[in-house]
């Protein structure tokens, strides 16, 4: 059985790691290079680096920071934010990223998913989907959650899988930063609909929430930020707890 992955997420703004609640009220969480190094040493399976204001500010991801982080870690490293072309991805992969995460650009130029999968392989392409329930229906949001669309979460997930995405990083905007648990019903539906790995994001507050994401949400990986950044949960301890619950993890 494939092991479940634990992935810390570094949301970057102005060169610092930040974390908010429901995508707003950001607070400083530390130096991204130091945090990345610590996570690589403390049992994280992968690392996600999201330049959260790159798209909104119409600029590219912070390449120099990507280079610095890549120098200090020995685990797979996904980078997102402001990626809009094959050239952008080529530069990031050459700077030390193992995968890229695309979100708004994938919606606005759907062919980009196909092009990236064809050029670099599906294993490099993560499509991030930020969604929120509007009148009971999960709708996709763009530009760091600031731009609502009429696109249905589940329809979009099926399309990105068909176009060649290797993984989906699903963030529930209403769960994000609340520490009330992941959106397990939506996760379970996604897992049934597509045959690529689903990364759960948004809502981690306790070790039990991670267990629920894997057992109830059928997620392949679980991503979190503040509980790791502020040392509320230690990754090694979390993995031991998951193992006690018969959830396969890499220790």
């Amino acid at each position: 059985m494939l092991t479940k992955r634990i992935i810390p997420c570094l949301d970057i703004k102005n060169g610092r790691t930040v974390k908010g609640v429901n995508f707003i009220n950001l607070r400083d969480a530390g130096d991204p290079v130091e945090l990345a190094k610590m996570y690589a040493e403390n049992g994280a399976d992968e690392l996600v680096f999201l330049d959260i204001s790159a798209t909104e500010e119409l600029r590219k991801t912070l390449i120099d920071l990507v280079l610095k982080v890549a120098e200090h870690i020995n685990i797979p490293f996904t980078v997102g934010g402001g990626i809009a072309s094959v050239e952008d991805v080529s530069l990031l992969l050459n700077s030390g990223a193992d995968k890229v995460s695309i979100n708004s650009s994938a919606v606005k130029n759907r062919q980009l998913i196909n092009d990236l999968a064809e050029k670099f392989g599906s294993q490099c392409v993560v499509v991030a989907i930020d969604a929120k329930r509007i009148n009971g229906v999960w709708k996709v949001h763009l530009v760091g959650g600031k731009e609502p669309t009429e696109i249905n979460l589940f329809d979009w997930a099926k399309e990105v899988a068909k176009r060649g995405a290797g993984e989906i990083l699903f963030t529930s905007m209403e769960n994000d930063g609340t520490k009330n648990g992941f959106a397990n019903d939506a996760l379970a539906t996604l897992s049934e609909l597509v045959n690529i790995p689903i990364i759960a994001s948004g809502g981690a507050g306790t070790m039990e929430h991670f267990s629920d994401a894997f057992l109830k949400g059928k997620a392949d990986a679980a991503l979190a930020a503040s509980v790791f950044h502020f040392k509320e949960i230690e990754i090694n301890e979390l993995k031991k707890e998951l193992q006690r619950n018969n959830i396969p993890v890499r220790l």
Side-chain angles (χ1 to χ4, degrees), residues 2-160:
L2 286 175
T3 56
K4 303 294 187 180
R5 291 168 288 147
I6 300 298
I7 307 175
C9 180
L10 305 177
D11 289 328
I12 310 294
K13 190 175 174 74
N14 301 325
R16 296 286 291 177
T17 308
V18 294
K19 187 60 196 140
V21 176
N22 304 130
F23 286 41
I24 56 172
N25 301 326
L26 301 177
R27 61 176 173 148
D28 190 271
D31 175 72
V33 178
E34 288 304 312
L35 283 170
K37 192 176 169 188
M38 179 188 77
Y39 290 136
E41 290 167 354
N42 290 355
D45 295 295
E46 297 186 18
L47 194 67
V48 168
F49 171 113
L50 297 177
D51 189 343
I52 60 172
S53 55
T55 300
E56 188 183 4
E57 293 167 8
L58 302 176
R59 60 171 174 75
K60 302 300 182 191
T61 305
L62 301 165
I63 290 290
D64 56 337
L65 204 47
V66 172
L67 280 162
K68 282 183 195 162
V69 170
E71 276 173 24
H72 288 87
I73 64 173
N74 58 355
I75 54 176
F77 178 34
T78 301
V79 177
I83 297 168
S85 69
V86 167
E87 292 72 29
D88 291 345
V89 173
S90 195
L91 185 57
L92 287 166
L93 295 177
N94 287 330
S95 300
D98 298 285
K99 310 179 198 177
V100 293
S101 170
I102 53 174
N103 187 335
S104 303
S105 60
V107 173
K108 291 173 179 176
N109 172 18
R110 301 185 181 199
Q111 181 61 32
L112 180 62
I113 305 169
N114 304 63
D115 293 346
L116 295 181
E118 194 175 314
K119 172 86 175 170
F120 305 107
S122 290
Q123 79 286 348
C124 285
V125 185
V126 180
V127 173
I129 306 177
D130 300 330
K132 189 177 188 177
R133 262 185 302 211
I134 310 288
N135 298 322
V137 180
W138 285 96
K139 299 286 183 154
V140 174
H141 285 57
L142 309 180
V143 193
K146 295 179 175 66
E147 190 180 299
T149 75
E150 283 304 309
I151 300 166
N152 179 285
L153 162 66
F154 303 114
D155 292 342
W156 180 228
K158 284 191 282 189
E159 182 172 342
V160 304

Side-chain angles (χ1 to χ4, degrees), residues 191-206:
S191 294
E192 284 168 22
L193 284 176
V194 299
N195 60 355
I196 58 174
I198 304 293
I199 304 168
S201 168
T206 66

Side-chain angles (χ1 to χ4, degrees), residues 168-203:
I168 290 171
L169 167 54
F170 162 60
T171 301
S172 164
M173 291 173 62
E174 57 200 65
N175 294 59
D176 178 72
T178 62
K179 300 185 183 175
N180 292 328
F182 294 94
N184 293 315
D185 289 349
L187 282 168
T189 302
L190 285 169
S191 294
E192 284 168 22
L193 284 176
V194 299
N195 60 355
I196 58 174
I198 304 293
I199 304 168
S201 168

